[in-house]
Amino acid sequence: MRLQVDTLQSITNQEQSANRALAEEVANQAVLCEASNVELQGLQMELTEANRNLANELVSLAETRRSRDDLQSQFAELEKRLSEQASQHKATLQRERDATQKLSAQLRMSKTAEDTLKGEVEQYVCT
């Protein structure tokens, strides 16, 4: 019976030693778990901030694109108006050239008529 008690005592001591080792391991794992939770919370806060920054940048990008599209529309409209005005100016310039040519032709004809008249007057006066 003493042998059984010693055996049981030995087994109990081994079990208690194993329990202490497991308790120590559980405590170490709890510390690691708490540290991991703290790190996870920090990372979640960083992720939240990064997502907020991303959302702000996406809004800014959308506004920039809208602004670019507006400017492109304005530019296209200005190009169209400029083209129309250039066509109008070209047509006006052509009309002015035509009028200048007509006036030049009329001036030559008037000059010729004047010279002819002067010649006739000189002949009439000389005779």
Side-chain angles (χ1 to χ4, degrees):
M1 179 141 167
R2 176 82 181 137
L3 185 57
Q4 285 180 343
V5 170
D6 286 340
T7 302
L8 287 175
Q9 185 66 33
S10 176
I11 291 173
T12 301
N13 287 341
Q14 287 174 356
E15 289 295 322
Q16 286 175 346
S17 179
N19 284 343
R20 280 192 296 274
L22 285 174
E24 188 176 313
E25 182 63 28
V26 168
N28 288 338
Q29 291 301 320
V31 168
L32 287 175
C33 183
E34 182 60 31
S36 294
N37 283 336
V38 168
E39 185 176 353
L40 176 61
Q41 288 175 353
L43 291 172
Q44 285 174 334
M45 288 181 3
E46 286 180 31
L47 178 60
T48 300
E49 182 66 21
N51 283 334
R52 190 175 312 124
N53 289 338
L54 176 61
N56 290 338
E57 291 300 320
L58 289 174
V59 167
S60 177
L61 178 61
E63 290 171 354
T64 301
R65 285 181 175 164
R66 272 194 302 277
S67 178
R68 179 204 59 203
D69 292 344
D70 290 345
L71 288 173
Q72 284 177 334
S73 295
Q74 290 174 8
F75 182 74
E77 181 62 30
L78 286 173
E79 278 186 321
K80 179 182 173 188
R81 285 182 22 212
L82 183 61
S83 177
E84 290 170 355
Q85 287 177 354
S87 294
Q88 290 172 352
H89 288 298
K90 188 175 180 180
T92 300
L93 183 61
Q94 188 59 47
R95 284 192 302 272
E96 288 175 358
R97 283 181 182 154
D98 293 345
T100 302
Q101 286 177 351
K102 282 181 182 179
L103 287 174
S104 293
Q106 287 176 351
L107 182 63
R108 280 192 301 275
M109 288 172 56
S110 294
K111 187 72 169 157
T112 303
E114 181 183 347
D115 289 344
T116 303
L117 246 139
K118 279 184 184 177
E120 289 178 7
V121 166
E122 283 180 11
Q123 277 183 347
Y124 183 71
V125 170
C126 288
T127 52

